[in-house]
């Protein structure tokens, strides 16, 4: 059955996730080039991810892992052969063929999970020759396999450290899956891994487009796109050209599409009003879902100063495709479509909008914990406001704490790729 999504508030039936593996260690050790906020405990991140999966399953959602999807498609062995390098150049000539065969056999026999971690890590397995023989090593060798006196090396080359953020490599529209294109070199390898697990209706080719910038809303859809500046477009993560490509290819399906210009200037003004806030603007609002989301068919959630300032280019579908209809603020656009807004306080901007909508007015958010890890009402005003607006919060009326996982600069919305709703 073809997998599609009409609106973010339709009942979520199937979602894909990826538990962080040792490919994520690159970002833990070296956060900046890996686009992480800070280092964190990989073990804690895996525990948090397990609780996320359990909460989704308890809510009746079918959770599929990237590992299982690739294995079911018969793609892992090919990806291992293409991606995981085996190097025996440091061995004697009479050892190379034997060792290469042994290493490839070992790689083929690994579990699907281990194979994907090596693929994501861009692993290179190197066997190095033994030291020159002397009387002592000759005595030690005896009847041992020659490999016992050799050494090995495992190197990761540009690991796909962000792979656990499954939202960004694809979007699922009313037409089906669309393969995205990463804006940064750090994330470029993710697309070709995920591509083996989906049957896309379109592949983005004209510029970067990442899944966190797409929000389906029934009759209309929104794309976060380049900021409009006096010196020209400033691409944050999704270019205006890439979004227009999807409209031209009829790969979206909504009767109306709004291109939401990244409100960089408004974010800087907002941060200037809060002493001590010197975070990077283009990381704080890198995707639409980092400052805006929808919790139901008539309820939006966002940072109010940015919603009021952001410009939307509205394109309307007709017989010849989409044509530009008008420009307006995002606040006016939402009002036109009958949406109320739950405002996210500045102090909660890191997670306030990065929740997953499970159905109309039911969401799974991240909460800020107290020092014991428990829900802290004083630090979670957004969740209180959502409850007051009639939104059900799962699990347990609070959501989940994810202090390790969100240190990679993302939330629940970022970590989940909806495959089907309805």
């Amino acid at each position: 059955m073809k997998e599609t999504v009409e609106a973010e508030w339709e009942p979520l039936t199937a979602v894909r996730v990826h538990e962080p593996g040792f490919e994520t260690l690159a970002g833990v050790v070296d956060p900046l080039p890996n686009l992480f906020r800070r280092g964190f405990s990989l073990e804690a991140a895996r525990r948090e991810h397990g609780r996320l999966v359990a909460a989704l399953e308890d809510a009746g959602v079918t959770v599929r892992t990237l590992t299982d999807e690739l294995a079911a498609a018969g793609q892992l062995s090919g990806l291992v052969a293409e991606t995981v390098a085996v190097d025996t150049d440091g061995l004697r000539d009479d050892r190379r063929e034997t060792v290469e065969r042994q290493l490839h056999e070992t790689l083929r026999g690994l579990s699907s999970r281990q194979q994907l971690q090596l693929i994501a890590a861009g692993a290179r397995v190197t066997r190095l020759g033994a030291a020159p023989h002397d009387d002592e090593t000759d005595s030690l060798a005896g009847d041992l396999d020659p490999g016992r006196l050799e050494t090995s090396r495992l190197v990761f080359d540009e690991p796909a450290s962000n792979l656990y953020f499954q939202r960004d490599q694809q979007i699922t529209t009313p037409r089906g899956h669309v393969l995205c294109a990463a804006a940064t070199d750090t994330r470029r390898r993710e697309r070709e891994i995920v591509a083996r697990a989906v049957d896309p209706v379109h592949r983005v080719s004209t510029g970067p487009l990442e899944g966190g910038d797409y929000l389906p809303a029934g009759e209309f859809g929104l794309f976060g796109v380049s900021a409009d500046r006096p010196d020209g477009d400033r691409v944050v993560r999704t270019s205006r050209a890439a979004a227009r490509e999807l409209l031209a290819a009829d790969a979206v399906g909504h009767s109306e599409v709004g291109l939401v210009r990244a409100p960089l200037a408004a974010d800087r003004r907002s941060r200037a009003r809060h002493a001590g806030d010197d975070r990077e603007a283009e990381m704080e609002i890198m995707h639409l879902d980092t400052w805006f989301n929808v919790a139901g068919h008539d309820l939006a959630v966002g940072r109010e100063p940015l919603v009021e300032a952001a410009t939307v280019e509205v394109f309307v579908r007709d017989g010849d495709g989409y044509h530009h209809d008008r420009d307006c603020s995002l606040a006016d656009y939402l009002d036109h479509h009958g949406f109320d807004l739950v405002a996210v306080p500045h102090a909660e901007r890191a997670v306030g909008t990065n929740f997953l909508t499970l159905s109309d007015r039911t969401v799974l958010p991240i909460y800020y914990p107290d020092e014991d890890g428990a829900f802290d009402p004083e630090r979670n005003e957004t969740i209180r406001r959502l409850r007051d607006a009639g939104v059900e919060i799962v699990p347990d009326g609070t959501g989940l704490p994810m202090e390790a996982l969100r240190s990679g600069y993302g939330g629940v919305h970022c970590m989940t790729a909806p495959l089907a709703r309805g």
Side-chain angles (χ1 to χ4, degrees):
M1 184 176 69
K2 188 175 182 181
E3 296 173 326
T4 61
V5 170
E6 295 280 342
E8 194 78 3
W9 55 80
E10 288 184 312
L12 181 62
T13 56
V15 68
R16 190 182 62 239
V17 299
H18 174 67
E19 181 184 276
F22 51 65
E23 76 281 351
T24 312
L25 279 172
V28 170
V29 173
D30 194 8
L32 285 176
N34 285 281
L35 311 177
F36 285 7
R37 186 187 298 273
R38 54 181 172 261
F40 54 90
S41 164
L42 186 55
E43 291 78 10
R46 286 172 170 167
R47 290 193 295 270
E48 291 173 356
H49 199 272
R51 290 192 286 269
L52 170 61
V53 169
L56 289 167
E57 291 177 338
D58 287 347
V61 180
T62 297
V63 180
R64 287 145 52 175
T65 68
L66 180 60
T67 300
D68 289 344
E69 294 274 277
L70 289 168
Q75 295 291 330
L76 282 172
S77 59
L79 279 167
V80 167
E82 296 167 23
T83 309
V84 181
V86 169
D87 182 359
T88 60
D89 288 348
L91 297 178
R92 303 193 314 265
D93 290 346
D94 64 333
R95 289 281 297 148
R96 289 178 186 171
E97 184 177 345
T98 298
V99 172
E100 279 196 30
R101 184 177 65 253
Q102 290 172 342
L103 290 174
H104 284 298
E105 286 176 357
T106 299
L107 290 170
R108 286 193 294 271
L110 295 176
S111 69
S112 297
R113 168 88 177 141
Q114 290 171 314
Q115 287 180 331
L116 181 54
Q117 288 187 74
L118 290 170
I119 292 163
R124 172 178 289 273
V125 186
T126 301
R127 181 75 71 85
L128 303 170
H133 284 205
D134 55 29
D135 291 343
E136 184 176 349
T137 55
D138 283 342
S139 173
L140 177 63
D143 60 357
L144 288 175
D145 184 295
R148 301 295 186 188
L149 298 179
E150 295 166 348
T151 58
S152 64
R153 179 184 298 152
L154 180 61
V155 175
F156 299 164
D157 186 10
E158 297 185 4
S161 54
N162 285 252
L163 192 58
Y164 76 92
F165 293 126
Q166 278 288 288
R167 175 75 54 162
D168 294 321
Q169 305 89 4
Q170 68 173 57
I171 60 176
T172 305
T173 76
R175 294 278 190 254
H177 301 307
V178 172
L179 272 176
C180 299
T184 59
D185 287 343
T186 294
R187 303 200 65 179
R188 62 182 172 79
R189 294 185 56 242
E190 298 172 36
R191 164 168 152 155
E192 292 313 312
I193 296 173
V194 171
R196 306 296 184 92
V198 300
D199 181 18
V201 297
H202 186 77
R203 292 172 177 252
V204 174
S205 61
T206 59
L209 188 148
E210 297 186 352
D213 273 318
Y214 172 62
L215 229 168
E219 67 178 15
F220 70 92
L222 297 176
F223 283 94
V225 298
S226 319
D228 185 11
R229 302 202 309 193
D231 58 348
D233 282 3
R234 172 63 176 127
V235 177
V236 182
R237 292 297 175 89
T238 293
S239 70
R240 183 175 179 273
R244 291 294 304 272
E245 175 193 332
L246 295 191
L247 300 188
D250 196 21
V252 181
H254 302 286
S255 59
E256 188 173 284
V257 174
L259 306 188
V260 185
R261 294 289 199 157
L264 286 176
D267 179 64
R268 290 192 177 99
R269 290 193 298 271
S270 177
R271 290 184 299 110
R273 291 194 290 270
H274 296 81
D277 184 356
D278 59 354
R279 300 192 183 198
E280 304 158 281
E282 293 185 22
M283 293 299 291
E284 290 288 293
I285 61 168
M286 70 177 99
H287 294 132
L288 183 62
D289 65 6
T290 61
W291 59 275
F292 180 79
N293 204 341
V294 293
H297 74 281
D298 58 357
L299 188 65
V301 183
R303 292 175 58 191
E304 193 167 18
L306 276 58
V307 171
E308 291 175 348
T311 298
V312 182
E313 296 179 83
V314 182
F315 291 82
V316 176
R317 185 187 177 90
D318 57 28
D320 298 322
Y322 289 89
H323 70 270
H324 180 255
D325 182 69
R326 66 191 186 279
D327 291 353
C328 62
S329 72
L330 179 56
D332 287 344
Y333 188 77
L334 294 171
D335 185 64
H336 173 76
H337 284 282
F339 280 76
D340 293 325
L341 180 71
V342 171
V344 173
H346 184 83
E348 297 177 20
R349 66 199 179 282
V351 301
T353 63
N354 214 309
F355 55 82
L356 178 64
T357 301
L358 302 180
S359 61
D360 203 355
R361 295 202 177 216
T362 299
V363 305
L364 196 167
I366 292 176
Y367 71 73
Y368 289 105
D370 62 20
E371 59 185 19
D372 297 319
F375 182 82
D376 183 353
E378 299 297 321
R379 300 183 66 203
N380 292 282
E381 176 66 17
T382 303
I383 290 176
R384 185 194 66 77
R385 293 176 183 178
L386 284 168
R387 288 175 183 154
D388 290 348
V391 176
E392 180 184 1
I393 307 297
V394 298
D396 305 322
T398 61
L400 293 170
M402 295 188 179
E403 292 300 284
L405 285 171
R406 76 178 187 86
S407 295
Y409 244 127
V412 178
H413 198 263
C414 298
M415 295 175 217
T416 51
L419 301 176
R421 291 181 179 269

